[in-house]
Amino acid sequence: MASELTFDGIADDGRAIVEAHKQKRGFEEGIRRLLSELYPDNAHFIYELLQNAEDAKASVVEFELRADGLEARHNGSRSFSLEDIDSIANIGDSTKKDDETQIGKFGVGFKAVYSYTTRPEIRSGEFSFAISDLFVPERIEGRALDGWTTFLFPFDRSDKPPETAGAEVERGLRELDEKTLLFLSNIREITYELPGGDIGFFKRTDVDDVTIRVEASQGEDFVESNWLRLVGPASTEHKGQHPLTVAAAFKLEHKEPGRGRSATKAGTRADAPLAIVPLPVGDVSIYFPADKETSNLRFHIHAPFASTVARDSVRDTSENIQLVADIGDLIVRNLKGFRDRGLIDDGFLAALPNAEDNLKPMYGQVRSAILAAFNEHELTPVRGGGFGAARELVSS
């Protein structure tokens, strides 16, 4: 029978790892270098922290960037447990490894923070501790506010001055946008504060069962965007208690009066009806955008894809191919609802993939599924009003 976890036992195990490798010159630095290669975007750990907050069922996440470090905090209902401490002080282990519905892993992912700090501090529930030498948790003073978990990352790397670290993290925070919240279930608000006083704020509001509004404020810039977001079950196997999901998000804009096509003109009334419009480029997300993955679709998609370690691209696997097929099925199931809501117009048709779009075979499944649906069902607008099945029309 495995021995019961204790804080001191976890610390002893960590010290044993460090001691066992002390004679191996460059062991710790080798791990740091490996992590920097796995996460070429040095501010990637911002997403790791957001993932942890999402899994802890937080609705609010706050970042405070200082000259000498970064503090991150969230109001997740799930505080740190001994199992979490054991996981965060290890590599390749995680309390979430058997639950595919949870996207953040304390194993390798959290280690991305060591690009900036040598001794992160965590305060959550009854535990307040720092991690030294990558593996050794140590008790520290202070507690987080009730109901909050706090991370502190001092910029103390000898090879990365605080000015450099701060500039990189600031860039990462400024790159957050409305898409950051698009496919999350729990987080509704993200804020950040920079040393110069600039504040960023992102808030997601559910308008109805499929429409969401995202407000994004950065410095003096304010953007409000509306999205039609579809969520449905994934057919891949999973071990978690809740089914995995796939999703698609179409951009909505207010329709210019008297025109069939949606418009973004300043004169368009804010209370004008919303219509779907094509995006210049649609993102592929694994909860957060996978920066190196391109679908060439004109809307955003999400699935729990198998990915590279840095989650910046999607691997070519049969499971991933099936997940894209699930997204195509999800859209097809909702087409009649789009029609009944008056959303199938030229803007929506322009957002759908056509023969000229250069889609990889995996994403071509979405085009094939939608094309078959338009051919078989009365979804295509016809002159004089109404809809018809495309294969039965003279022109469509």
Side-chain angles (χ1 to χ4, degrees), residues 85-103:
I85 297 173
D86 188 41
S87 177
I88 207 170
N90 273 291
I91 285 183
D93 191 18
S94 174
T95 57
K96 305 168 188 175
K97 63 185 178 183
D98 293 325
D99 186 352
E100 296 179 36
T101 68
Q102 292 190 300
I103 56 179

Side-chain angles (χ1 to χ4, degrees), residues 47 51 54-55 100-104 179-185 243-245 284-290 301-305 311:
Y47 288 111
Q51 289 169 351
E54 173 73 6
D55 292 335
E100 296 179 36
T101 68
Q102 292 190 300
I103 56 179
K179 294 178 293 185
T180 307
L181 289 170
L182 204 52
F183 296 117
L184 300 180
S185 299
L244 299 177
T245 60
V284 177
S285 288
I286 311 170
Y287 298 93
F288 302 100
I301 62 173
H302 151 74
F305 293 113
R311 300 191 188 99

Side-chain angles (χ1 to χ4, degrees), residues 274-291:
L274 290 167
I276 295 172
V277 295
L279 294 170
V281 179
D283 285 346
V284 177
S285 288
I286 311 170
Y287 298 93
F288 302 100
D291 294 336

Side-chain angles (χ1 to χ4, degrees), residues 157-305:
R157 286 287 304 270
S158 60
D159 58 343
K160 183 170 288 188
E163 296 81 5
T164 302
E168 291 181 0
V169 174
E170 177 175 336
R171 185 176 68 247
L173 291 171
R174 288 186 182 276
E175 288 175 355
L176 297 176
D177 59 20
E178 73 276 5
K179 294 178 293 185
T180 307
L181 289 170
L182 204 52
F183 296 117
L184 300 180
S185 299
N186 300 312
I187 299 175
R188 300 304 178 102
E189 294 184 16
I190 300 173
T191 63
Y192 67 75
E193 183 175 356
L194 304 178
D198 281 358
I199 293 176
F201 174 74
F202 308 91
K203 180 180 180 180
R204 189 184 80 226
T205 303
D206 294 336
V207 178
D208 55 37
D209 56 341
V210 293
T211 308
I212 63 173
R213 178 179 301 116
V214 181
E215 299 167 272
S217 174
Q218 294 178 288
E220 297 181 356
D221 298 326
F222 177 82
V223 175
E224 181 180 285
S225 59
N226 295 279
W227 302 86
L228 192 151
R229 187 183 65 172
L230 308 176
V231 180
S235 59
T236 54
E237 295 182 0
H238 62 91
K239 300 176 183 178
Q241 296 179 354
H242 305 287
L244 299 177
T245 60
V246 297
F250 293 86
K251 183 71 178 292
L252 293 169
E253 290 184 356
H254 293 285
K255 184 181 294 187
E256 185 179 0
R259 298 282 300 277
R261 186 178 299 276
S262 300
T264 59
K265 291 183 179 180
T268 304
R269 289 169 44 193
D271 60 350
L274 290 167
I276 295 172
V277 295
L279 294 170
V281 179
D283 285 346
V284 177
S285 288
I286 311 170
Y287 298 93
F288 302 100
D291 294 336
K292 296 183 180 179
E293 185 69 22
T294 303
S295 71
N296 286 333
L297 297 169
R298 299 303 182 96
F299 50 90
H300 299 316
I301 62 173
H302 151 74
F305 293 113

